[in-house]
Amino acid sequence: MNAVYTFIIVEDVALQREHLTDLLHSRLDLRLLRAFDNAEDAYLYLSDSGTPDPDLIFLDIEMPEASGFNFLEAIQKLPVSPRVIITTAFAEYAVKGYDYDLSGYLLKPIEEEQLNKAIQKALRSLEQKEDNKPAPKQEAHLLIKIKSKWVKLAYEEILYVEGANVDVRIVTIGGAYTTRDRIKNLQQKLPGNHFMRIHDSFVVNLDHIRSYASNYTFLELRSVPEGGLEKLPVGPKYRDQFRESLAPE
């Protein structure tokens, strides 16, 4: 499904607001949030944390009480970062417009072709900003239920996971924990770049392997607590993947 971007219009002349709204109505990728006849009400809307932030603002320059440039100065102090397209009947403001990061400067009467060009420029900028967002931070722990409480186990402390019927035993550097679950379910919760299924009954943390057999039939772990297994088998159907994971890059 294609993205739908939201916008507001700040224009004091009713006929101009209606004309711009009509031009934008045909675009399925845009949705109008609000239209304002003055900059003050638009500023109050943007500064209200309870209202949705627009992706685009279509802004008139010549308005009573506060000009479009006053509005631009004011919203720079807000935690919003919409793309702005100026709509004005005055070409002489174009030079001043370079002082701001605008996506378009359109002269009235607004032509649909020029309007769409400015919109496409704004949307490309929004898409680029979305692409450059840092990936969401992944959880660094496994959450398991043991009887009546939940326990957090750091990934880096987990040595291996051992499954047996409906119970799973998680062995860590500090001790072992047993929970009611399937090994397949727990494997899916663990980061695949560090944990690997090596046997029908075992998932191992690759970072804790101390050594392994030259024929890849077993491996040995380091820092195993009392009661844990230092040596784990590698099942036949898992050996090829295990061998490839250990190959130097």
Side-chain angles (χ1 to χ4, degrees):
M1 182 178 180
N2 294 329
V4 175
Y5 296 92
T6 56
F7 68 94
I8 64 172
I9 296 173
V10 188
E11 166 64 67
D12 65 313
V13 180
L15 286 176
Q16 297 288 357
R17 287 198 307 274
E18 293 172 7
H19 175 61
L20 184 54
T21 302
D22 288 342
L23 289 176
L24 296 170
H25 183 70
S26 62
R27 295 196 60 125
L28 299 179
D29 55 349
L30 297 180
R31 178 169 62 87
L32 174 65
L33 292 176
R34 289 282 299 275
F36 300 92
D37 61 6
N38 65 85
E40 183 179 358
D41 286 346
Y43 176 81
L44 292 175
Y45 173 88
L46 293 175
S47 59
D48 185 348
S49 60
T51 59
D53 296 333
D55 299 304
L56 297 170
I57 298 177
F58 295 91
L59 175 65
D60 186 20
I61 291 296
E62 282 287 345
M63 290 183 290
E65 298 181 6
S67 74
F69 288 122
N70 294 143
F71 175 79
L72 284 174
E73 291 287 347
I75 66 172
Q76 287 184 11
K77 301 174 184 178
L78 299 176
V80 296
S81 54
R83 303 306 304 163
V84 178
I85 296 174
I86 295 294
T87 60
T88 180
F90 301 93
E92 58 265 30
Y93 293 127
V95 174
K96 188 175 181 180
Y98 284 111
D99 295 335
Y100 302 89
D101 186 18
L102 302 175
S103 289
Y105 189 97
L106 304 178
L107 290 176
K108 300 173 183 176
I110 296 172
E111 297 180 2
E112 188 170 10
E113 182 179 355
Q114 295 303 314
L115 174 63
N116 286 328
K117 284 182 179 179
I119 291 172
Q120 291 309 116
K121 178 182 177 181
L123 297 190
R124 283 196 299 270
S125 178
L126 290 170
E127 289 166 359
Q128 184 177 17
K129 182 174 71 173
E130 192 69 25
D131 291 341
N132 291 335
K133 277 187 178 179
K137 186 178 180 181
Q138 293 187 348
E139 295 291 346
H141 64 265
L142 176 68
L143 189 64
I144 61 171
K145 188 175 184 181
I146 300 178
K147 295 183 178 179
S148 60
K149 64 180 180 180
W150 290 92
V151 178
K152 289 169 61 175
L153 301 177
Y155 290 151
E156 61 187 20
E157 295 182 357
I158 298 173
L159 300 175
Y160 66 89
V161 177
E162 180 180 5
N165 297 323
V166 295
D167 286 334
V168 175
R169 185 168 178 254
I170 299 122
V171 179
T172 74
I173 295 172
Y177 303 82
T178 300
T179 184
R180 182 61 60 92
D181 208 336
R182 300 280 186 180
I183 190 171
K184 181 179 179 181
N185 294 339
L186 281 189
Q187 181 189 2
Q188 293 173 346
K189 297 176 183 178
L190 295 168
N193 56 333
H194 292 283
F195 290 84
M196 176 176 289
R197 187 81 173 264
I198 58 167
H199 190 277
D200 286 345
S201 300
F202 293 98
V203 172
V204 70
N205 186 337
L206 298 172
D207 296 334
H208 286 286
I209 296 175
R210 185 181 63 192
S211 63
Y212 52 90
S214 58
N215 61 357
Y216 304 99
T217 56
F218 69 87
L219 60 84
E220 293 178 319
L221 298 169
R222 61 173 185 265
S223 306
V224 179
E226 185 178 353
L229 299 173
E230 291 186 6
K231 186 176 179 179
L232 300 180
V234 180
K237 66 181 179 181
Y238 301 96
R239 285 174 194 162
D240 287 344
Q241 184 183 7
F242 179 63
R243 182 176 62 252
E244 290 171 5
S245 71
L246 299 172
E249 296 183 358

